[in-house]
Amino acid sequence: MRIILLGAPGAGKGTQCKRIVEKYGLQHLSSGDILRQERAAGTELGKKAQSYMDSGALVPDGLIVEMMARAINKAPESGFVLDGFPRTVNQAAQLDESLSSSGQKIDAVLNLQVDEEIVDRRITGRRSCPECGAVYHIENLKSKIEGICDNDGANLVQRPDDTHEVVKNRLKNYHEQTEPVVDYYKNNGSVQDIDANEGADEVTVLLFEKLDTLVSV
Ligand code: AP5
């Protein structure tokens, strides 16, 4: 199964993808996580991406498409769920082209819809584990001990782009460059909208309902 999870910054894509991969045995391919790994490893790609990411701008398509094509090629037979990619119409068109050249296609596009008022609170309250990647929230999804990862005891960190100012820019870029991607897939008749304003567990139930239908076909 090959899935795309769309949604604004803070919609809950990363949180839900972790649950989807656990239930359906897919690989989670998050363009944001891959870029952060490249940065941590000090690669050329990571260095090039840094200033775009820190200001909330999109990293140029040329860098992203190649990076994601490499990740998709390594994905297992069971399939993958894409998180944060594609984020421009050009990325979506190039993804379609590269999948169809290997006889593959996207099976479902799920679009997490969230009200803008709650995005800022979700994002500025996010804390993550630099060791295992677990994601928490200071109010909604607390770690057992404040500031410490439940899984490995590492100190939780805040992403440098999770500030009010940068969130504003990320949302602006989402409206200008990523919302057209939703329309791109709507024109193919393949988008399923999901209300992502409720708590994470309620959103998971809605997503699993859609995906269970797909698996049973
Ligand atoms: P990326 O890492 O993809 O960030 P994003 O899209 O802005 O998404 P987020 O990770 O902020 O949000 P999310 O929807 O995953 O929310 P989460 O589940 O963590 O991209 C970062 C940067 O990389 C971009 O700005 C760009 O520069 C670059 N980039 C990446 N991909 C690119 C591409 N394709 N092209 C060009 N550039 C690219 O949840 C957020 C918080 O809310 C968490 O604390 C969580 O616990 C909490 N939460 C989640 N769901 C709920 C809920 N239902 N109720 C209450 N709290 C919740």
Side-chain angles (χ1 to χ4, degrees), residues 7-16 30-33 35-36 49 52-54 56-61 64 68 83-88 91 112 122-123 125-127 135-138 140-141 159 161-162 170 196-201 203:
K13 302 181 295 295
T15 303
Q16 298 300 333
S30 156
S31 48
D33 285 350
L35 286 168
R36 282 182 284 277
Y52 297 100
M53 294 174 80
D54 287 348
L58 291 189
V59 176
D61 286 352
I64 293 290
M68 292 309 288
D83 162 8
F85 176 82
R87 230 178 174 102
T88 64
Q91 289 179 16
L112 297 181
R122 281 194 190 172
I123 291 186
R126 171 170 45 200
R127 299 291 181 273
V135 174
Y136 301 89
H137 190 277
I138 54 170
N140 308 331
L141 200 67
R159 270 170 46 180
D161 58 342
D162 278 354
R170 283 161 64 191
N197 289 306
E198 297 303 323
D201 292 345
V203 178

Side-chain angles (χ1 to χ4, degrees), residues 170-216:
R170 283 161 64 191
L171 280 170
K172 180 173 165 282
N173 289 322
Y174 171 77
H175 292 307
E176 289 174 4
Q177 298 181 71
T178 309
E179 267 174 359
V181 175
V182 181
D183 295 331
Y184 172 91
Y185 287 113
K186 278 199 169 147
N187 291 338
N188 300 342
S190 55
V191 178
Q192 313 212 38
D193 290 328
I194 306 281
D195 180 0
N197 289 306
E198 297 303 323
D201 292 345
E202 285 83 355
V203 178
T204 305
V205 170
L206 296 174
L207 278 169
F208 284 3
E209 269 171 21
K210 300 274 184 204
L211 292 172
D212 283 346
T213 320
L214 205 75
V215 169
S216 65

